[in-house]
Amino acid sequence: MLSIVWIILLSSTLCHGLDNGLAKTPPMGWLSWERFRCNTDCINDPDNCISEQLFQTMTDIVVADGYASVGYEYINVDDCWLEKHRSHDGKLVADRKRFPNGIKALSDYIHSRGLKFGIYEDYGNYTCAGYPGIIGYEEKDALQFAEWNVDYVKLDGCYALPFDMDRGYSTFGRLLNITGKSMVYSCSWPVYQIYAGIQPNYSAIQTHCNLWRNYDDIQDSWASVENIIDYYGNNQDLIAPNAGPGHWNDPDMLIIGNFGLSYEQAKTQFAIWSILAAPLLMSVDLRTIRPQFKHILQNRKIIAVDQDPLGIQGRRIYKHKGIEIWSRPIGPLYQNFYSYAIAFVNRRTDGTPSDISVTLKELGLINYSGYRVEDLYENVDYGVLYPNTKIKVKVNPSGVVMLKGEVQFPVDL
C-alpha cells in the first residue's frame, strides 16, 4: 500500500520541477571532502578521520568563531561515512565505529547549534569511494534522509551511466520533494555528461536541482583554481544564464586556508566565486586556519556580493596578456541601471604588481548620476565617481582588487 501511495504521489509531481523554495541565494557552509578526503583511519589519525567527532568539532567552530554569524550555515558530510553494506532491510548505515551514535544523532547535534545538516550519496551502484549508492533504493533513501532531518543532499555520479542521469537525477529530486522535508539538492549531473561527450540539458537541470557541478573537482593548488576560472570564463555564454535564485552553478569548494594558495590567490578565489554567484562551501581545517585566511572567508562585503538577491551570475568582460576584469550586476538598482561588483585579476607571475587603468564607462557603469565606489578588501571609500572618471588599480601577481560601484540616484529625487 505504501508503494502504491508513493507512486501516486510521484506521478502527481511529474509535470513539476524541484520547487522546494530553497537556496534563493547560493548556499554557504563547510564541507569535508577537499581537506579531509576519505580518511577513515580513526585509530592512527583520530582527529582528522571522517567521523562524528570531526563534524561536531567543525560545527562548534563555525558557531564559536564567527562563521555562522556571516552566513555559513551548512555542515556537510561527504563520501566515506557509510558502512560498506546496507542493513538487512536495505537501509543505509553509517560506519558504526566512526559514527557510533548514528546519523540522526549527528543531525540533531548540528541542528542544536543552529546550523543545518548536509549528506552525500551517489546516483550509481556505488559512491566514488566504493560505498553503497542509491540505485535501486531511491525511494527508501529519500525517506531515510527525511527521517534523519537532512537539509542538503549532494548526489555524486560515479558508477552511473551518464545517459541515464536526466531521468535519474530528476526523479530523485522529486522523491526528495515529496517526503515533505525540504532539502537543498546538489547535483553532479552535468559534469559526468560533459565527460561522456553529452551536452547537458541545462533547462532541465536548473528545473530539478538547486545547484550543480559542471567542471573538474577542485584540488589544493592555484593551478586548479585557475583552470576553474578559465572554464567559467571561456564557457560563460552557456553557463551563466542558467544561474539564478534557487538554481546555481557550482565551481566547487573554497580551498582558502589550506596548503595550496598564497594569501593573494586566496583573495582571488573568494572574489571570483562571489562574482560567479557560487556556493561558498569551505573545505578547510578550521582548527588551524591562519587569521588572514579566516578574515578573507568572513569578509562581509564580499559575501554580500555573493549573496546578492538578484542572483545574476557575473562574467569576464576583459582578458589580455594576463589581465582580466570580471563584472557582476548587483543591487541596488536605479531604473535600468545596476550597481556592480568588479574584480581586477592579475594572472601574471612576473613578480611585480600590474597597473590597470579604465573609466567607469568602459566597465559598463554609465549612470550619469554616478556610482559610490568602494574597495571591498581594503575598505577604502572613493566617493561618488562618474562614467568618464578613470580609475587606476594596482594588482599583485595572482592577486585581485575588488571594487563595488553602487548606483546613485539623481539628487532631485
Side-chain angles (χ1 to χ4, degrees):
M1 179 61 69
L2 286 175
S3 296
I4 293 171
V5 171
W6 190 267
I7 291 169
I8 292 171
L9 286 170
L10 179 58
S11 298
S12 69
T13 65
L14 285 177
C15 61
H16 303 292
L18 187 63
D19 193 25
N20 58 13
L22 301 176
K24 293 303 183 184
T25 59
M28 297 176 59
W30 183 90
L31 176 63
S32 59
W33 181 255
E34 206 294 319
R35 176 59 180 84
F36 294 96
R37 297 287 175 162
C38 193
N39 180 357
T40 60
D41 186 0
C42 289
I43 295 176
N44 295 306
D45 196 9
D47 293 333
N48 298 301
C49 65
I50 301 302
S51 66
E52 65 181 36
Q53 175 184 316
L54 177 67
F55 292 99
Q56 289 170 350
T57 299
M58 294 303 159
T59 297
D60 293 342
I61 295 174
V62 166
V63 174
D65 286 7
Y67 296 95
S69 66
V70 299
Y72 296 96
E73 61 177 343
Y74 291 96
I75 302 294
N76 291 354
V77 176
D78 210 274
D79 206 348
C80 306
W81 62 273
L82 284 158
E83 288 281 357
K84 285 291 188 177
H85 302 283
R86 292 175 177 266
S87 67
H88 65 88
D89 57 353
K91 289 189 175 182
L92 296 168
V93 180
D95 185 280
R96 294 178 177 87
K97 293 181 179 178
R98 294 181 285 113
F99 295 85
N101 295 300
I103 292 299
K104 182 58 166 64
L106 178 59
S107 174
D108 289 345
Y109 185 93
I110 292 168
H111 288 127
S112 75
R113 300 304 191 269
L115 301 179
K116 297 177 181 178
F117 173 57
I119 205 163
Y120 168 100
E121 248 297 350
D122 190 287
Y123 178 66
N125 295 312
Y126 304 97
T127 71
C128 295
Y131 294 86
I134 70 165
I135 291 295
Y137 298 90
E138 293 91 336
E139 298 173 13
K140 189 182 292 290
D141 290 351
L143 287 169
Q144 191 167 8
F145 292 156
E147 291 168 1
W148 285 339
N149 202 16
V150 170
D151 301 295
Y152 183 118
V153 176
K154 173 184 172 181
L155 195 65
D156 214 332
C158 290
Y159 299 102
L161 297 174
F163 55 80
D164 284 344
M165 290 181 175
D166 294 58
R167 175 191 55 80
Y169 271 92
S170 58
T171 297
F172 193 67
R174 296 188 192 104
L175 291 171
L176 292 175
N177 227 23
I178 64 177
T179 64
K181 172 65 175 74
S182 296
M183 291 175 259
V184 171
Y185 186 32
S186 173
C187 301
S188 299
W189 180 358
V191 66
Y192 285 95
Q193 291 192 332
I194 291 170
Y195 288 159
I198 301 170
Q199 176 59 50
N201 180 353
Y202 279 108
S203 177
I205 291 164
Q206 66 179 284
T207 299
H208 294 289
C209 303
N210 292 120
L211 60 153
W212 53 85
R213 291 280 310 287
N214 38 28
Y215 191 59
D216 294 346
D217 285 358
I218 197 166
Q219 307 297 324
D220 192 11
S221 73
W222 175 235
S224 177
V225 173
E226 285 193 297
N227 287 339
I228 293 170
I229 291 172
D230 286 339
Y231 180 83
Y232 273 77
N234 295 340
N235 296 279
Q236 60 190 9
D237 290 341
L238 174 65
I239 294 173
N242 304 310
H247 45 94
W248 309 100
N249 293 298
D250 179 8
D252 212 3
M253 294 160 279
L254 296 168
I255 59 169
I256 294 162
N258 288 327
F259 309 104
L261 299 188
S262 70
Y263 175 66
E264 294 295 335
Q265 292 161 355
K267 288 169 61 180
T268 299
Q269 189 193 13
F270 203 60
I272 293 298
W273 263 233
S274 73
I275 292 288
L276 294 175
L280 300 180
L281 297 173
M282 306 177 290
S283 191
V284 59
D285 191 341
L286 297 175
R287 297 167 297 191
T288 58
I289 189 170
R290 284 173 285 175
Q292 64 266 37
F293 294 107
K294 177 182 176 183
H295 186 66
I296 293 171
L297 290 167
Q298 294 188 2
N299 185 310
R300 291 177 181 268
K301 293 178 179 180
I302 295 179
I303 289 171
V305 171
D306 180 81
Q307 298 287 295
D308 182 74
L310 295 178
I312 302 171
Q313 181 171 318
R315 291 171 175 260
R316 186 180 64 198
I317 61 172
Y318 177 86
K319 179 182 179 182
H320 184 65
K321 294 184 177 179
I323 300 298
E324 297 180 6
I325 304 175
W326 293 71
S327 174
R328 179 181 177 188
I330 58 175
L333 288 77
Y334 166 63
Q335 295 180 350
N336 61 336
F337 298 108
Y338 290 94
S339 300
Y340 285 89
I342 307 289
F344 300 87
V345 181
N346 182 0
R347 302 282 293 274
R348 298 172 181 170
T349 57
D350 52 7
T352 187
S354 295
D355 292 327
I356 305 172
S357 298
V358 64
T359 65
L360 266 61
K361 184 177 181 180
E362 289 171 322
L363 295 172
L365 281 66
I366 58 175
N367 173 40
Y368 283 103
S369 297
Y371 299 81
R372 179 169 290 279
V373 177
E374 179 183 13
D375 187 315
L376 300 186
Y377 273 122
E378 299 300 324
N379 291 315
V380 176
D381 187 338
Y382 292 101
V384 177
L385 306 180
Y386 297 92
N388 289 326
T389 303
K390 178 167 285 191
I391 57 175
K392 181 178 180 179
V393 295
K394 186 179 293 290
V395 190
N396 293 334
S398 69
V400 67
V401 170
M402 189 167 187
L403 304 181
K404 176 184 175 182
E406 183 173 320
V407 70
Q408 300 296 290
F409 291 60
V411 293
D412 57 354
L413 295 180

